Amino acid sequence: MRTEHYNPSQIEVEFSYALTELQKDLEKLLTHNTITKVENKIQEDNPMLLFHLVDKDGDPHEVVVQIIQRADKF
């Protein structure tokens, strides 16, 4: 299927939702941090996920994941 609309594309939006749903699975792999919240900014040109974390000392941290689909190469 050729991508007709980018920013955000359907793949970017679906991938963003999928990563959000994996929050509990991702948290199991983080040995020193707990995910407290995930902000999903889907309508951005390139969807962005902002993971709010708290480490074992109680310090807050943020990790940003931006979803970018490269242009189709047909």
Side-chain angles (χ1 to χ4, degrees):
M1 176 174 90
R2 293 180 189 262
T3 303
E4 295 183 16
H5 303 286
Y6 291 91
N7 298 335
S9 71
Q10 180 180 354
I11 293 172
E12 291 172 336
V13 170
E14 289 177 358
F15 206 89
S16 181
Y17 275 126
L19 284 176
T20 301
E21 291 297 317
L22 292 174
Q23 176 180 341
K24 295 296 180 192
D25 294 322
L26 291 171
E27 192 171 57
K28 291 176 190 176
L29 301 171
L30 301 173
T31 56
H32 302 288
N33 292 278
T34 302
I35 300 173
T36 58
K37 179 172 82 170
V38 179
E39 288 182 59
N40 195 337
K41 299 183 179 192
I42 291 177
Q43 296 309 320
E44 300 287 325
D45 280 348
N46 298 111
M48 180 174 33
L49 299 171
L50 180 58
F51 288 85
H52 295 267
L53 308 163
V54 175
D55 65 21
K56 291 185 176 188
D57 295 330
D59 298 324
H61 302 280
E62 293 181 355
V63 174
V64 177
V65 177
Q66 191 161 26
I67 313 298
I68 301 170
Q69 178 187 357
R70 291 189 175 183
D72 293 343
K73 296 176 184 172
F74 292 105

